[in-house]
Amino acid sequence: MTGTLYGIGVGPGDPELMTVKAYRRLKEAEVIAYPKKGRQSKSYAEQIIDAYFAPEEKRRLGLHFPMTKDVAVLEPKWNEAADAIWAELSAGRDVAFVTEGDPLLYSTFIHLMHVMERRYPDAPIEVVPGVSSANAAAARLRLPLADGDEQVAIVPARDDYEAMKAAILAHDCVIFFKVAKVIDLMIRLLRELDLLHRAAVVTKVTSREEVIWDVERLEGAELEYLTLLVVRK
């Protein structure tokens, strides 16, 4: 029988925020796959599951996805990853692909799932949702994301002042993902809107490396990739 590909959200950083179902699927799967950054470095998702599974306990399949938008570079790598997963599935082995947060919210698994569906339409796929960093940040900050008729948005931060301003003005609460690369722009915008006191910035929320920043002192700072900004008017 063909194995099943599980897209598993392992949560925002704290291993205890992994769901019981995610843990069970990982325990049952013969292979754990994960996005691999470099030859030596561990992915964030792999670090989370290390709290429960020793590296030698299960076969691990590191899949390299280049950090580029060049389709000519990306497509062969995505196809290569899909082929590697299919080799396991066709041999009857279940594969658990782990991703931080939730598998269907700005996750590597989304594109991998589409590639698998295109190249191997008969491959069984199941998604196990996870706690997103947006939810985790709200909990750590004791900051309600939405109440009553309020509107909340999740927006990938980008170098577009007017678009970021429009997002804030149109919603009661906005969670900006991937904010590190445009933090100075966001600080200027919040200052213009007089909302610095209504904003919070968190890196690697709930993990041992979590940092809750002083927003007033962030201009010019170099932040890690897994940093988000919450603005609640």
Side-chain angles (χ1 to χ4, degrees), residues 120-134:
Y120 302 105
D122 294 329
I125 299 176
E126 179 182 314
V127 178
V128 180
V131 177
S132 78
S133 56

Side-chain angles (χ1 to χ4, degrees), residues 216-232:
E216 297 278 357
R217 300 182 180 181
L218 269 181
E219 207 158 10
E222 292 188 10
L223 304 175
E224 290 197 38
Y225 178 76
L226 293 174
T227 299
L228 58 78
L229 162 68
V230 183
V231 184
R232 190 164 193 334

Side-chain angles (χ1 to χ4, degrees), residues 80-211:
E80 184 180 303
D83 293 346
I85 288 174
W86 177 249
E88 302 293 341
L89 300 181
S90 60
R93 292 185 285 270
D94 291 339
V95 177
F97 183 91
V98 294
T99 178
E100 67 264 20
D102 181 86
L104 298 182
L105 183 63
Y106 297 119
S107 163
T108 306
F109 181 74
I110 296 172
H111 194 65
L112 177 63
M113 179 177 67
H114 291 327
V115 174
M116 288 295 298
E117 289 171 341
R118 184 178 69 249
R119 289 177 69 83
Y120 302 105
D122 294 329
I125 299 176
E126 179 182 314
V127 178
V128 180
V131 177
S132 78
S133 56
N135 299 111
R140 289 289 290 122
L141 299 166
R142 290 194 300 174
L143 184 69
L145 296 181
D147 186 29
D149 294 329
E150 293 174 340
Q151 294 185 338
V152 61
I154 297 177
V155 177
R158 65 184 193 274
D159 189 13
D160 187 331
Y161 194 89
E162 293 304 320
M164 299 301 95
K165 182 177 179 179
I168 293 174
L169 294 177
H171 301 91
D172 300 287
C173 179
V174 184
I175 303 98
F176 291 98
F177 282 4
K178 305 176 183 178
V179 76
K181 63 184 181 296
V182 293
I183 190 62
D184 287 353
L185 178 150
M186 296 305 300
I187 295 299
R188 291 197 303 272
L189 173 57
L190 292 169
R191 189 173 284 124
E192 177 199 326
L193 297 175
D194 193 25
L195 287 173
L196 274 177
H197 64 295
R198 305 293 294 175
V201 176
V202 190
T203 296
K204 292 187 174 180
V205 65
T206 75
S207 76
R208 292 181 179 178
E209 301 169 75
E210 175 190 89
V211 181

Side-chain angles (χ1 to χ4, degrees), residues 14-44:
D14 181 351
E16 290 189 325
L17 290 176
M18 186 190 303
T19 68
V20 174
K21 185 167 187 175
Y23 173 78
R24 178 170 64 83
R25 288 302 192 199
L26 285 166
K27 192 174 180 63
E28 293 171 347
E30 291 90 347
V31 181
I32 295 178
Y34 60 94
K36 183 172 63 174
K37 293 182 179 179
R39 291 184 178 180
Q40 302 299 327
S41 62
K42 278 181 174 280
S43 75
Y44 192 57

